[in-house]
Amino acid sequence: MGAVPGFSFVKLIVLDVLLTGLSILLEFAALVVLRIREPGLARPYRVPGGLFGAIAVGLPPLALLVLTVIRNDAEPIGPINALQFGGLLIAAGVVCYFLSERIHDHRRSFPN
């Protein structure tokens, strides 16, 4: 935990719920998009209820994430609040993803 040594347990939980909740919401968004784009795709596990069922299973995690954001909007982490810090972490993750893809593509174009 080198990046967060001075954070309280509550602040760490807030960040964990925020980041984990967003990743789970991405998975549910992918479920909904696949239901729309590939309705006949073979699925070993299927959420019943069609598109409505796919959307309905994503609502409880969305509600938890919204409650976390509302509850901890003013939770300070240094000079910024927990929500802003979580947003910075998410943005850093997106930047790292695209940089790693670029580095990976660069290595692929110049074999040893």
Side-chain angles (χ1 to χ4, degrees):
M1 287 244 175
V4 289
F7 292 178
S8 70
F9 182 71
V10 172
K11 291 177 185 176
L12 291 174
I13 293 298
V14 168
L15 290 173
D16 178 62
V17 169
L18 178 66
L19 297 174
T20 303
L22 285 174
S23 67
I24 290 171
L25 286 179
L26 281 174
E27 292 174 15
F28 284 117
L31 170 67
V32 171
V33 169
L34 280 174
R35 281 283 172 100
I36 294 169
R37 289 188 183 168
E38 302 286 338
L41 190 65
R43 295 175 175 95
Y45 304 101
R46 190 165 181 94
V47 175
L51 183 59
F52 175 76
I55 293 170
V57 297
L59 292 179
L62 176 62
L64 178 62
L65 187 61
V66 168
L67 287 173
T68 301
V69 168
I70 291 169
R71 156 67 174 82
N72 296 295
D73 184 37
E75 184 75 30
I77 296 182
I80 60 177
N81 68 33
L83 182 59
Q84 292 168 333
F85 186 75
L88 288 173
L89 287 177
I90 293 165
V94 170
V95 168
C96 288
Y97 172 79
F98 285 111
L99 285 176
S100 69
E101 286 292 313
R102 190 174 181 129
I103 290 169
H104 185 72
D105 288 344
H106 180 70
R107 286 183 183 167
R108 202 176 314 151
S109 62
F110 295 107
N112 292 336

